[in-house]
Amino acid sequence: THCITVILLTFQTNILTELKNWKHNLIQHHKLQMKQEKEKHATQVKQLQNEVENLKELLHTYEISISRKDEVVITNLTHALEKQKDRVELMRSFTLWRIQHAKAKQEEYAIRMADKHFQTALMKKVWAAWRSVAEERWKDNVAKACQLRAEDVCVQLTNDYEAKIAELTATVEQTKAEILRLHSERDQYEDTMKKAFMRGVCALNLEAMTMFQSK
């Protein structure tokens, strides 16, 4: 009887040790999975942040390029206007000189030519002003398009990030539910083993009492 009791106690100890080891391994496995998910999530967040920074740098590059282009266009237009102004002034001076030293018909012709050149110069100035306004509108349109594109990208990144967070949250909740289920199964298993052990002990005690009484 003592040997049987020792065997049962050893068996119970081995079962409890096995349960503890199984519980420890299960917890370590889940901890490892959670760590891997957190590292994966951190990597994805870092990638999203890098994409946002790259988009910001691209937008800044576009702004610098547009600003430089506008400066070059304005400089060229100003230079062209100055040249045209000088040409108009020279033509007017030359025409006035010809009016003073020419005959009546030549004077009339010179006046018509001067008016023609003046109208041409005026049309060029008007065209230059219109072109400047068009360039300004083009700049505004490009800036608005870049801003809308950046906003769309930010919204898309935000939606993807929120969806990934929801997915990870669901995974965590599922893992918690699985842990609770395993705990419940472990408790039921331990309770069953205790009851079986108690029934075995009772049966051994009854058998021992029967043997003593028969003797």
Side-chain angles (χ1 to χ4, degrees):
T1 302
H2 179 70
C3 291
I4 293 173
T5 303
V6 171
I7 291 171
L8 289 174
L9 290 174
T10 303
F11 179 69
Q12 182 184 12
T13 302
N14 292 334
I15 290 174
L16 292 176
T17 302
E18 185 67 24
L19 286 173
K20 289 181 180 179
N21 292 334
W22 177 73
K23 176 182 177 182
H24 178 73
N25 292 333
L26 181 63
I27 292 173
Q28 292 298 323
H29 177 68
H30 282 289
K31 285 182 177 179
L32 180 60
Q33 286 183 340
M34 292 295 292
K35 182 179 179 181
Q36 292 175 350
E37 289 294 332
K38 287 181 179 178
E39 292 177 352
K40 184 178 179 182
H41 175 259
T43 302
Q44 292 176 349
V45 170
K46 186 175 181 181
Q47 291 177 353
L48 293 175
Q49 291 176 349
N50 290 334
E51 290 179 1
V52 171
E53 292 298 328
N54 291 334
L55 289 173
K56 289 181 179 179
E57 292 179 358
L58 181 60
L59 180 60
H60 182 64
T61 302
Y62 283 158
E63 291 176 352
I64 294 174
S65 178
I66 291 170
S67 177
R68 289 178 178 175
K69 184 177 180 180
D70 290 340
E71 291 176 357
V72 172
V73 170
I74 292 171
T75 302
N76 292 335
L77 289 175
T78 303
H79 187 62
L81 287 173
E82 292 293 331
K83 286 185 176 181
Q84 188 63 33
K85 183 179 178 181
D86 294 336
R87 288 183 62 188
V88 171
E89 292 297 330
L90 289 173
M91 289 299 296
R92 289 185 66 182
S93 299
F94 178 72
T95 304
L96 291 173
W97 178 81
R98 288 186 63 185
I99 289 173
Q100 293 174 359
H101 296 82
K103 297 179 181 179
K105 291 182 179 180
Q106 291 177 346
E107 290 177 356
E108 185 179 356
Y109 178 77
I111 290 173
R112 287 199 303 268
M113 289 298 296
D115 290 337
K116 183 178 179 180
H117 283 291
F118 181 78
Q119 292 294 330
T120 301
L122 183 61
M123 289 178 64
K124 287 182 178 180
K125 288 182 179 180
V126 172
W127 179 82
W130 175 84
R131 184 177 178 181
S132 177
V133 173
E135 289 288 340
E136 188 67 24
R137 289 180 179 176
W138 175 82
K139 175 185 175 182
D140 294 338
N141 291 333
V142 172
K144 289 179 181 179
C146 291
Q147 183 178 1
L148 291 175
R149 176 59 181 169
E151 290 177 355
D152 292 339
V153 171
C154 291
V155 170
Q156 183 63 35
L157 290 176
T158 302
N159 293 334
D160 294 341
Y161 179 68
E162 291 179 353
K164 192 62 181 178
I165 290 177
E167 181 181 354
L168 292 175
T169 303
T171 303
V172 171
E173 293 297 331
Q174 184 177 1
T175 304
K176 289 181 179 179
E178 182 67 17
I179 291 174
L180 291 175
R181 185 182 66 80
L182 293 174
H183 278 300
S184 178
E185 291 181 357
R186 183 201 62 186
D187 294 338
Q188 293 179 359
Y189 182 74
E190 289 180 353
D191 186 61
T192 302
M193 292 300 298
K194 288 180 181 179
K195 290 181 179 179
F197 177 74
M198 292 302 296
R199 286 196 298 268
V201 171
C202 292
L204 289 174
N205 289 335
L206 289 174
E207 184 177 357
M209 290 177 64
T210 302
M211 292 176 63
F212 285 132
Q213 288 177 0
S214 63
K215 289 181 179 181

